[in-house]
Amino acid sequence: MDGWTGQFLRVNLTSRTFRIETFSEEFAHTWIGGRGFAVKILYDELAPGIDPLGPDNKLVVAVGPISGIPAPNTGKTIVAAKSPATGGYGDGNLGTRVTDQLRKAGYDALIVEGRADRPTLLSIHDDRVEFLPADEVWGKGTMETNDWIYARYGKGVGVLNIGQAGENMVRFAVVRSLEGRSGGRPGMGAVMGSKLLKAIVVKGSKPIPQAFPVAMKELGRDDLRTVHAMDKEAAWSIQGTTGVLPWCNEVAALPVHNFRGTHHPDAWKVDGERVHAARVATYGCPNCTMRCGIGIPDDEGREAEVDYENIGLLGPNLDLFDLPQVAALNYLCDDYGLDTISAGGVLGFYADAIERGAVSGDLRFGDAAGFKKVLGMIARREGQIGNLLAEGTLRAARAFGHGSEDYAMQVKGLEISAYNCKFIPGMALAFGVSPIGAHHKESWIITFEVKQTTRGSYGRDKAQKIVDLQRIRGGLFESIVTCRFPWVELGWGVEHYPTYFNTITGSDWKLEDFWPISDRIYALMKLFWLREYPQTDRSADFPPAAWFDPANADTEGPIAGMHLDREQYDGMLQHYYDIRGYDTRGVPTRATLESLGLGVEAVAAEAYVTLR
Amino acid sequence: MKVTVRLIGGFVYTLGFRERELELPPGTTVAQLLDAIAIDRTRPVIVGRNGWAIDLVEELCEGDRILVSPVFSGG
Ligand code: SF4
């Protein structure tokens, strides 16, 4: 089958067995790969209500048809499971050599089941699968674990690993790869830890099946060069994503002091210019010529790889404006294998809860040493507070009480990324309807919102834009599996991706052929959530109360006195449901599911939710 | 009239400054300002006044702080 290996590798850690399974061309064309494969596998195979940290959960590592083929930014892999953070569908992508090695080993997805009886390294070399002891690195950070693996296998292998946070099942532990790549914000690292799976190493030696390999080689090579030249011209990777920080500060969208502030006079101290000036190394994902990972020294001389999200959440959100201090928190998160976004959200929430008297404690905003200490407690689940904060902001807020849930900055249990939407209604909705909890990767609408519409409007155009962006970013890019940055940052047209897809698979698809598939993937993710939470209503798609609270509005600056309006937000949410063909509860209608080819799933869904 | 221009991201390097106060004749539009600082307009640009989007045909006012940024797709 051109474009796909046609095989999944299913591994059971309990029985230490594996099986190679085949899938049909129809399956490939229905779900494409990556997130599409992951949600279909997890929806079909997981029983509702299972413990995401128990042996019944499954970890899916999936790639797409263009993954690993030399062409712009195709080095990403999807990791997915039932999320320990949210209890719903969870996934994330990360740059890793697993991408091409898994395909060269002959698989488009790896499904990991069960639970090992001791710390394990899963080694996959083509058709050979080994369950090796990893006791030596159990309890070690991701940096040391990565070095340990490289020392044994060389640097050419694909590696996924976890740190202490994953081992201790911190609900926002991530999977790590290469020197500084992380993925799977909603606790995919904790799922690995729950299975005593310390690392996965993949090596492959087979060619990736392609319809027109010679044409693709030329096309990929030329396009990699062109994208590189475009990046040089736009000077994007000089600051990479950290260039976003001063923009957020100027438009009052920066998270400051647990999202209570939207801008800060000291923000320039941690912006992209300062990051670039401090640069000691540059990193990137495989097949990328616009490498955006910037290594800077932290306050202990260690090298930390930073980007906008982690600086925003571990810097201004904690009232920290000293770059080496922010880098140190970032380094610790990476080494423990904690998601930097959620870690910054949790630390900010904890400091805020103390400040407001919801809980007693010594931690104060701006206390870098205190934040370092608490991060370690979280990663080790140390003491009552470390153990509670390891559960994430929502669970911690429920334990603290005193109204703290109102300023627990999360949606569906996943902490909000570094965009403060106190007065950015569309982006607030993008967080609200993101299918894995609050994440910016699905639909980053702020640019459109600030540029082309009235910032304070709640129109249907914004809901439509969110759907359009979800189709491209969350559907197309996450299923063919590629990085989104060349598209907007450099203006690399989205039409290039069907060309790659067609050259690799021998198909003749147009861009619009991907939209129904994207919608199908979103509908199935929604059904996954509904099966877990049948009583869910539209309130689950609302952001935290703090953004609607007049008392929380800025007192100065561009959005002084402004806040989100609950009724108007609700109206915009309804536009989103209407466009997607969901009913007033946010449930896909029977007709919508049938039109997306999910008729069988619609019938099954009737067991837990009434379809209209 | 005096306006302040603040550049973001790659523009800092392609144009060689981060922030600059400019003396402009009254009635200068946003588009004229972009031409004056030689922004490459073949690429999409976001222009904001005090945190709010501003159209290319709009006239600048004394004391404006104008933000000129490339488009981003998030961090
Ligand atoms: S632009 Fe950055 S995130 Fe995207 S593939 Fe390149 S290095 Fe990875």
Side-chain angles (χ1 to χ4, degrees), chain A residues 233-234 238-239 243-244 246-247 250 273-274 309 419 423 440 444 447 450-451 455 473 484-485 488-490 558, chain B residues 6 8-14 18 40 43-46 50-54 65 67 69 71-75:
Chain A
E233 205 182 305
I238 294 178
Q239 294 185 12
V244 178
W247 186 82
E250 293 279 340
E273 281 180 73
R274 257 44 56 180
E309 301 296 334
Y419 309 98
F423 197 63
H440 60 287
W444 204 75
T447 301
V450 172
K451 186 183 171 210
R455 179 168 177 171
R473 296 167 61 119
R484 64 181 182 269
F485 287 135
V488 171
E489 268 69 4
L490 304 186
Chain B
R6 168 70 157 105
I8 299 285
F11 288 148
V12 173
Y13 308 98
T14 53
R18 176 194 321 127
D40 170 11
R43 291 175 187 283
V45 174
I46 309 176
N50 309 324
W52 292 71
I54 178 169
R65 182 174 172 81
L67 181 72
S69 165
V71 291
F72 294 106
S73 67

Side-chain angles (χ1 to χ4, degrees), chain A residues 73 76 181 236 283-286 288 290-293 483 485:
Chain A
N73 307 49
K76 297 256 185 179
R181 311 278 114 183
W236 177 74
Y283 297 103
C285 307
C288 176
M290 45 190 288
R291 304 175 343 132
C292 71
C483 168
F485 287 135

